[in-house]
Amino acid sequence: MAIPVGLEDARMNVDPSAAALRREERAGIGYVYLALALAFVTAAPALFAREVFGDDWTVYYIYWTQGAAGVARVLWESAHAGFAIPMTLFVALSNDTPDVSARIAGLACHLVNGVLLHSVLARSSYTRRIAGLVTALFLLSPFYAIRLTLNAVYDFFLLFYLLSYELSYSKLRALRWSAPVCLLFALSLETLIALEPLRVVLAWSGRERWRQTLARLAPFWLAVAAMIVLRLTILGKSGHYAGQYSFANDFSIIANALYAHLMAFPRGLGYACSRGFALLGLPVSAVATLAAIAVFVRFSSTALWMPWVLNGRSNRNATLLLLMLGAAIALVGAVPYALAGLYGDVTRGESRLLFPSQFGVLMLLATVIQAIPGLRVRAAAAGALIAIFALSTAHDSKWLLYDGLLSSDMLRQVRAALLADPEP
């Protein structure tokens, strides 16, 4: 006898397996919403810090003295040709405060990247369980403090890289075919190389043969190979920057750089703790962190629910895969810099070199937290880490605003002097 449509829908609505699947697909979604809000609120003061840092001086000086053509030339020679258009827009449309417009655009890209990252991770059964926490940690990551100080070039490039994932799931064939093309705009080679292990895991399916998987991945790998060739030839460093960051010939230099790069992440956690508790003073910051932990524990079974990743043999195998994936991304993201004898550090200027590897470290952190037995204990650990990350970001933002207000008059005076006499 046929089952009436209404009765069949009612049975599906109360089906425990279907309800569990829907709950798992939305696991940790509360972390994403909370982190989006915290990332915006804590970074907002830094958006209006009128101060130029690091290599931005070069770009602004060139624009103020040589115009847009000079900016295009210097960015092409420094192998940043892909950033020439947005950088020129920053300095042309906001000539008096180009750093402010650049920070606003950088934060906007960062928030959009967080949404895209969660959408991508939530599509695979391998990464779905940690998608919410990984996204939250990324949005508040202390390993990339440069996004508050310079022009967040890696956030701009990451946007196109994540679009290559998102478009590959589109229902429209034309958008799926355009997905590999997005990689041609993600000009950060280190990010392109480091995150490809994630694409393999997301594309892998036990229902298809490995040849079919390789066929789907081939267009993306061809695009990555094309970008590597272009960056080493036509789009490589030239002119004044020719030969910069060339390969190191001494293996000990490479090994030491690789070690220093990876050890920067433990130092980054210490950096986040020291900066976080320095924001309001140790007593008040400690109370705020404990209050955050209590809130996370209170909502651990509802909006902030995180599944235990070691529940069952198949889940344990998936957890092992996540740990291997995180380690691979962290290592592969460090190798290109190490080959040139370079390494990232937790200071603002050099934290940009930690950007590709940080995804692997954040995946390791999220996997370890969700491997902790006890729902409330997991929520407490996640709450403590997110609170410290948010306080650290707020501290950096506060420092930038304070320092920027003090130096804004000096910046205007220096710019006027440059326009009057452009010679160094």
Side-chain angles (χ1 to χ4, degrees), residues 245-271:
Y245 303 150
S246 57
F247 291 108
N249 297 322
D250 192 339
F251 178 77
S252 62
I253 295 178
I254 297 175
N256 291 335
L258 182 62
Y259 176 77
H261 187 102
L262 296 178
M263 290 304 297
F265 291 103
R267 290 197 299 272
L269 292 177
Y271 170 88

Side-chain angles (χ1 to χ4, degrees), residues 121-174:
L121 295 178
R123 292 181 183 274
S124 172
S125 59
Y126 295 108
T127 56
R128 183 180 300 130
R129 289 171 170 251
I130 66 170
L133 187 54
V134 169
T135 303
L137 296 179
F138 164 74
L139 287 168
L140 300 168
S141 173
F143 305 131
Y144 186 40
I146 196 175
R147 64 184 171 84
L148 294 180
T149 59
L150 294 178
N151 287 325
V153 60
Y154 291 95
D155 287 314
F156 177 76
F157 292 151
L158 182 65
L159 179 63
F160 289 99
Y161 187 85
L162 293 176
L163 278 177
S164 73
Y165 284 107
E166 193 68 22
L167 294 180
S168 63
Y169 295 106
S170 175
K171 296 180 180 180
L172 299 177
R173 180 180 298 179

Side-chain angles (χ1 to χ4, degrees), residues 309-367:
V309 294
L310 298 180
N311 184 19
R313 181 176 179 179
S314 61
N315 290 336
R316 286 194 293 270
N317 293 336
T319 301
L320 180 60
L321 177 63
L322 289 175
L323 293 174
M324 295 173 60
L325 176 62
I329 293 176
L331 181 62
V332 175
V335 167
Y337 299 115
L339 291 176
L342 303 173
Y343 59 90
D345 206 346
V346 295
T347 57
R348 290 182 179 84
E350 294 173 346
S351 70
R352 71 185 188 277
L353 303 182
L354 300 176
F355 184 79
S357 296
Q358 74 164 341
F359 291 95
V361 175
L362 296 178
M363 291 186 68
L364 289 173
L365 286 174
T367 304

Side-chain angles (χ1 to χ4, degrees), residues 47-287:
L47 298 178
F48 305 100
R50 297 188 177 187
E51 185 170 0
V52 185
F53 294 86
D55 292 338
D56 284 352
W57 267 120
T58 302
V59 177
Y60 298 156
Y61 170 82
I62 293 294
Y63 178 79
W64 290 334
T65 58
Q66 301 180 25
V71 174
R73 175 188 55 78
V74 72
L75 290 178
W76 182 281
E77 291 182 353
S78 61
H80 292 316
F83 202 52
I85 294 178
M87 191 64 197
T88 303
L89 290 176
F90 293 153
V91 294
L93 298 180
S94 301
N95 194 10
D96 292 329
T97 56
D99 49 317
V100 175
S101 61
R103 286 196 186 94
I104 293 174
L107 180 60
C109 287
H110 184 65
L111 298 178
V112 173
N113 287 339
V115 175
L116 290 176
L117 180 64
H118 180 265
S119 176
V120 168
L121 295 178
R123 292 181 183 274
S124 172
S125 59
Y126 295 108
T127 56
R128 183 180 300 130
R129 289 171 170 251
I130 66 170
L133 187 54
V134 169
T135 303
L137 296 179
F138 164 74
L139 287 168
L140 300 168
S141 173
F143 305 131
Y144 186 40
I146 196 175
R147 64 184 171 84
L148 294 180
T149 59
L150 294 178
N151 287 325
V153 60
Y154 291 95
D155 287 314
F156 177 76
F157 292 151
L158 182 65
L159 179 63
F160 289 99
Y161 187 85
L162 293 176
L163 278 177
S164 73
Y165 284 107
E166 193 68 22
L167 294 180
S168 63
Y169 295 106
S170 175
K171 296 180 180 180
L172 299 177
R173 180 180 298 179
L175 292 180
R176 292 198 302 271
W177 286 356
S178 66
V181 180
C182 291
L183 297 182
L184 301 179
F185 298 91
L187 299 180
S188 173
L189 288 186
E190 297 78 17
T191 303
L192 284 175
I193 298 171
L195 292 185
E196 280 307 298
L198 176 61
R199 192 186 303 278
V200 175
V201 172
L202 294 178
W204 178 258
S205 174
R207 297 186 300 271
E208 67 178 8
R209 297 180 178 180
W210 63 270
R211 292 182 179 178
Q212 294 175 306
T213 303
L214 288 179
R216 290 192 292 113
L217 292 175
F220 297 96
W221 290 349
L222 289 174
V224 172
M227 286 310 307
I228 293 176
V229 172
L230 288 174
R231 284 296 302 275
L232 295 179
T233 55
I234 299 175
L235 298 179
K237 294 181 180 293
S238 59
H240 174 73
Y241 299 92
Q244 187 183 41
Y245 303 150
S246 57
F247 291 108
N249 297 322
D250 192 339
F251 178 77
S252 62
I253 295 178
I254 297 175
N256 291 335
L258 182 62
Y259 176 77
H261 187 102
L262 296 178
M263 290 304 297
F265 291 103
R267 290 197 299 272
L269 292 177
Y271 170 88
C273 291
S274 63
R275 294 299 186 275
F277 287 111
L279 175 64
L280 305 172
L282 180 59
V284 178
S285 297
V287 170

